């Protein structure tokens, strides 16, 4: 058992006109369908800790896409409870997206995944109206994109949204610098200013020294980095990435995933990423939305979906996943309930009394800013208290309990957890305490139902 100590001072230390709106029959508002999100308590996740409580950047509500010049008959059928197949059988029209609702938070990588034909690529093109929605709302920073005029929409695309496609789509006659600056050139940004922004974007992806090269002189991975730099050059509020790494070979794809995660750690952009690759989705996604037949089946963190799949379709995706190589330490770190958190005035006796009274053997010391300080035990506190002078918590810290980083795969921390005398503390890049992993927690995570 464990307790957490807080408040310890003086410690030694971390394109078109607005769309028509098609109401449900009799003017009723269509009832949003549950998205299947897991109901288990949200784990501490190093990647999504900030985004889980961050502001909503994009709010998608009851969005439909009917591939028909007149979507109203199909919408009426869907509102009345018809299925996608029933609509196609009766009207001969395809339902691309059906009643999709989800929110994307500031600073997170939100992955939309599904099998071919599930509607994921249609969904991302609806978000910036490359494809026009048939019904619903897409609210971006308080503005409904669906009702925007063409002029307003173009302004949003140029300033606030960037898109990275599977194909590199580089201009063969332009250098890397000019390719990266191409979007800014179209927007009318003067050459010196756009080159400055493009060079900074190339630097972010590690290609500033190759700025004078042409696409034919670069590898596939380098070309995709230029495509990524082009999306970064206008410093977008949100990035849309449609199967951005799917055309790359496995090794380069992994490198690009690493690059994206590195950029995310440094800049905390809001990213919507389309993928059909489960390993990729689990590796880079703070949260994942799984689509089937145009529907959002489930939204959740990788841990939530692994532990509590919404249905057999979702379960089949994850059946053969090696959890230890997908989940990170931060995904499964646990901390005690608030009632076990102790705030002590900088002396050891209250901490020892709390450990004894609550029958906790170990405690994790945190300062007022939630920085991890060290791990103590009843025995170490008792020894420190008997020392002469004015002992502090640092004198009671256990010497062999080192924290693990939240981004370490479970596979890499298994031996550490198994051999430690207590649950192993987990911290993030800034040494913030995220919780601890015990052998029991680790086994429970790994021994999920197949």
């Amino acid at each position: 058992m464990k307790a957490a100590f807080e408040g310890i001072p003086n410690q030694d230390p971390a394109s078109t006109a607005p769309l028509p709106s098609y109401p449900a029959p009799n003017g009723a508002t269509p009832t949003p369908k549950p998205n299947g999100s897991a109901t288990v308590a949200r784990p501490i996740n190093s990647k999504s800790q900030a985004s889980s409580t961050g502001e909503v950047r994009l709010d998608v509500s009851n969005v439909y896409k009917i591939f028909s010049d007149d979507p109203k008959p199909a919408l009426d059928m869907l509102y009345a409870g018809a299925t996608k197949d029933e609509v196609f059988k009766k009207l001969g029209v395809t339902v691309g997206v059906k009643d999709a609702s989800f929110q994307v938070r500031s600073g997170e990588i939100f992955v939309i995944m599904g099998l071919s034909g599930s509607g994921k690529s249609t969904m991302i093109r609806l978000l910036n109206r490359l494809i026009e929605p048939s019904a619903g709302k897409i609210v971006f920073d308080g503005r409904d994109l669906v009702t925007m005029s063409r002029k307003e929409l173009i302004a949003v695309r140029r300033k606030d949204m960037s898109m990275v496609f599977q194909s590199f789509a580089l201009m063969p006659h332009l250098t890397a610098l000019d390719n990266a600056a191409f979007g800014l050139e179209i927007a009318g940004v003067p050459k010196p200013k756009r080159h400055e922004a493009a060079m900074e974007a190339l630097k972010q992806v590690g290609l500033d020294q190759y700025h004078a090269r042409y696409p034919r002189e670069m590898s596939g991975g380098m070309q995709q980095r230029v495509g990524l730099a082009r999306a970064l050059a206008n410093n977008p509020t949100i990035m849309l990435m449609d199967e951005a790494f799917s055309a790359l070979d496995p090794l380069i794809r992994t490198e690009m995933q690493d690059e994206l995660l590195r950029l995310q750690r440094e800049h905390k952009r809001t990213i919507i990423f389309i993928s059909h690759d489960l390993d990729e989705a689990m590796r880079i996604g703070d949260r994942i939305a799984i689509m089937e037949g145009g529907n959002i089946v489930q939204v959740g963190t990788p841990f939530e979906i692994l532990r509590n799949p919404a249905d057999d379709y979702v379960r089949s995706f994850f059946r053969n996943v090696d959890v230890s190589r997908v989940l990170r330490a931060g995904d499964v770190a646990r901390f005690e309930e608030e009632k076990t958190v102790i705030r002590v005035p900088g002396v050891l006796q209250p901490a020892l009394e709390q450990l004894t009274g609550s029958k906790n053997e170990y405690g994790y010391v945190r300062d007022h800013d939630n920085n991890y300080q060290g791990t103590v035990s009843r025995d170490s506190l008792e020894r420190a208290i008997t020392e002469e002078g004015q002992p502090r918590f640092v004198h009671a810290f256990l010497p062999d309990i080192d924290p693990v980083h939240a981004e370490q795969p479970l596979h890499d921390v298994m031996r550490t957890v198994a051999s430690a005398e207590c649950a192993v503390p987990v911290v993030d890049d800034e040494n913030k305490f995220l919780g601890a992993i015990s052998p029991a927690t680790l086994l429970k995570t790994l021994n999920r139902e197949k």
Side-chain angles (χ1 to χ4, degrees), residues 178-368:
D178 285 325
N179 265 293
F182 186 73
L184 297 176
E185 181 180 1
I186 296 299
V189 177
K191 186 173 183 178
K193 187 173 181 179
R194 68 175 183 257
H195 273 187
E196 180 182 357
M199 184 62 80
E200 175 59 30
L202 287 172
K203 185 177 181 180
Q204 290 183 35
V205 300
L207 288 182
D208 50 318
Q209 67 270 41
Y210 302 107
H211 69 276
R213 288 195 180 184
Y214 290 89
R216 64 179 179 275
E217 299 172 319
M218 295 182 287
S219 68
M222 293 173 71
Q223 291 182 45
Q224 189 61 298
R225 287 172 188 257
V226 175
L228 182 55
R230 181 174 55 200
L232 294 171
N234 70 335
N235 194 26
T237 303
I238 190 167
M239 288 179 59
L240 308 177
M241 305 182 70
D242 186 17
E243 300 271 12
F245 306 148
S246 296
L248 304 173
D249 66 57
L251 180 59
I252 297 177
R253 185 186 311 150
T254 300
E255 291 176 354
M256 288 302 299
Q257 293 166 4
D258 289 339
E259 185 71 14
L260 183 65
L261 291 172
R262 181 189 65 79
L263 289 169
Q264 188 67 356
R265 285 194 298 270
E266 295 176 359
H267 301 283
K268 290 295 180 186
R269 298 182 184 277
T270 303
I271 300 172
I272 301 177
F273 194 104
I274 301 299
S275 179
H276 67 271
D277 187 326
L278 177 61
D279 289 338
E280 180 174 67
M282 298 282 283
R283 186 164 189 256
I284 69 173
D286 294 310
R287 290 187 302 142
I288 301 172
I290 299 178
M291 295 192 70
E292 178 191 22
N295 294 286
I296 301 287
V297 180
Q298 185 169 8
V299 178
T301 67
F303 184 88
E304 288 171 343
I305 298 175
L306 275 168
R307 293 297 301 167
N308 198 9
D311 57 21
D312 289 340
Y313 174 77
V314 178
R315 190 174 291 108
S316 67
F317 265 106
F318 294 87
R319 181 168 291 119
N320 297 316
V321 170
D322 183 349
V323 177
S324 71
R325 297 185 182 277
V326 172
L327 294 180
R328 310 300 194 197
D331 293 323
V332 297
R334 289 287 191 264
F335 61 97
E336 294 297 297
E337 298 295 332
E338 181 65 23
K339 64 183 180 181
T340 68
V341 174
I342 305 171
R343 293 173 173 84
V344 296
V347 292
L348 305 185
Q349 188 62 41
L352 177 58
E353 293 174 357
Q354 177 65 29
L355 281 178
T356 303
S358 64
K359 299 182 180 181
N360 289 315
E361 185 64 34
Y362 299 94
Y364 301 93
V365 182
R366 302 180 289 182
D367 64 18
H368 287 292

Side-chain angles (χ1 to χ4, degrees), residues 4-18:
F5 300 90
E6 292 187 325
I8 320 299
N10 303 318
Q11 292 303 307
D12 296 337
S15 58
T16 52

Side-chain angles (χ1 to χ4, degrees), residues 12-267:
D12 296 337
S15 58
T16 52
L19 291 173
S21 175
Y22 294 102
N26 303 319
T29 302
T31 304
K33 307 295 189 295
N35 63 14
S37 298
T39 58
V40 297
R42 183 185 60 80
I44 296 295
N45 183 323
S46 60
K47 292 185 294 182
S48 62
Q49 176 71 4
S51 62
S52 65
T53 56
E55 64 179 317
V56 173
R57 183 66 74 189
L58 189 74
D59 191 350
V60 177
S61 301
N62 310 114
V63 168
Y64 291 77
K65 176 56 187 177
I66 312 299
F67 288 97
S68 172
D69 292 336
D70 180 12
K72 189 176 185 303
L75 286 170
D76 288 341
M77 286 186 64
L78 293 171
Y79 292 155
T83 66
K84 175 180 177 178
D85 290 340
E86 289 170 341
V87 170
F88 183 79
K89 183 176 181 179
K90 182 174 182 179
L91 302 178
V93 301
T94 299
V95 179
V97 171
K98 177 186 176 185
D99 200 17
S101 296
F102 57 88
Q103 294 179 333
V104 181
R105 302 163 184 154
S106 179
E108 75 172 335
I109 299 180
F110 186 89
V111 178
I112 303 176
M113 70 167 297
L115 300 176
S116 178
S118 63
K120 58 187 184 298
S121 289
T122 299
M123 188 72 249
I124 199 170
R125 284 164 171 76
L126 292 171
L127 299 183
N128 61 0
R129 282 178 55 189
L130 289 179
I131 296 176
E132 293 292 349
S134 302
K137 293 183 177 181
I138 303 172
V139 179
F140 171 63
D141 281 351
R143 299 167 293 172
D144 189 356
L145 298 177
V146 176
T147 62
M148 282 186 178
S149 66
R150 179 180 178 85
K151 182 178 180 180
E152 291 172 324
L153 182 61
I154 290 174
V156 168
R157 288 173 177 169
R158 287 179 174 176
K159 181 181 179 182
D160 295 312
M161 285 187 171
S162 288
M163 192 158 186
V164 183
F165 296 95
Q166 178 177 346
S167 61
F168 311 141
L170 302 183
M171 303 295 181
H173 62 289
L174 298 180
T175 63
L177 180 63
D178 285 325
N179 265 293
F182 186 73
L184 297 176
E185 181 180 1
I186 296 299
V189 177
K191 186 173 183 178
K193 187 173 181 179
R194 68 175 183 257
H195 273 187
E196 180 182 357
M199 184 62 80
E200 175 59 30
L202 287 172
K203 185 177 181 180
Q204 290 183 35
V205 300
L207 288 182
D208 50 318
Q209 67 270 41
Y210 302 107
H211 69 276
R213 288 195 180 184
Y214 290 89
R216 64 179 179 275
E217 299 172 319
M218 295 182 287
S219 68
M222 293 173 71
Q223 291 182 45
Q224 189 61 298
R225 287 172 188 257
V226 175
L228 182 55
R230 181 174 55 200
L232 294 171
N234 70 335
N235 194 26
T237 303
I238 190 167
M239 288 179 59
L240 308 177
M241 305 182 70
D242 186 17
E243 300 271 12
F245 306 148
S246 296
L248 304 173
D249 66 57
L251 180 59
I252 297 177
R253 185 186 311 150
T254 300
E255 291 176 354
M256 288 302 299
Q257 293 166 4
D258 289 339
E259 185 71 14
L260 183 65
L261 291 172
R262 181 189 65 79
L263 289 169
Q264 188 67 356
R265 285 194 298 270
E266 295 176 359
H267 301 283

Side-chain angles (χ1 to χ4, degrees), residues 319-444:
R319 181 168 291 119
N320 297 316
V321 170
D322 183 349
V323 177
S324 71
R325 297 185 182 277
V326 172
L327 294 180
R328 310 300 194 197
D331 293 323
V332 297
R334 289 287 191 264
F335 61 97
E336 294 297 297
E337 298 295 332
E338 181 65 23
K339 64 183 180 181
T340 68
V341 174
I342 305 171
R343 293 173 173 84
V344 296
V347 292
L348 305 185
Q349 188 62 41
L352 177 58
E353 293 174 357
Q354 177 65 29
L355 281 178
T356 303
S358 64
K359 299 182 180 181
N360 289 315
E361 185 64 34
Y362 299 94
Y364 301 93
V365 182
R366 302 180 289 182
D367 64 18
H368 287 292
D369 296 322
N370 198 41
N371 296 304
Y372 172 74
Q373 302 292 302
T375 302
V376 298
S377 69
R378 284 194 234 174
D379 289 342
S380 71
L381 286 169
E382 289 175 348
R383 288 194 299 268
I385 289 172
T386 60
E387 293 180 1
E388 295 183 0
Q390 295 181 343
R392 297 178 297 166
F393 269 98
V394 67
H395 300 134
F397 289 161
L398 299 175
D400 299 324
I401 306 299
D402 295 321
V404 299
H405 193 278
E407 289 301 311
Q408 285 187 257
L410 286 186
H411 183 270
D412 293 346
V413 305
M414 291 171 63
R415 187 183 299 274
T416 300
V417 172
S419 61
E421 64 177 280
C422 63
V424 176
V426 180
V427 298
D428 64 10
D429 287 333
E430 299 177 347
N431 198 42
K432 303 296 185 184
F433 178 75
L434 302 181
I437 304 176
S438 67
T441 298
L442 184 61
L443 287 174
K444 184 177 180 181

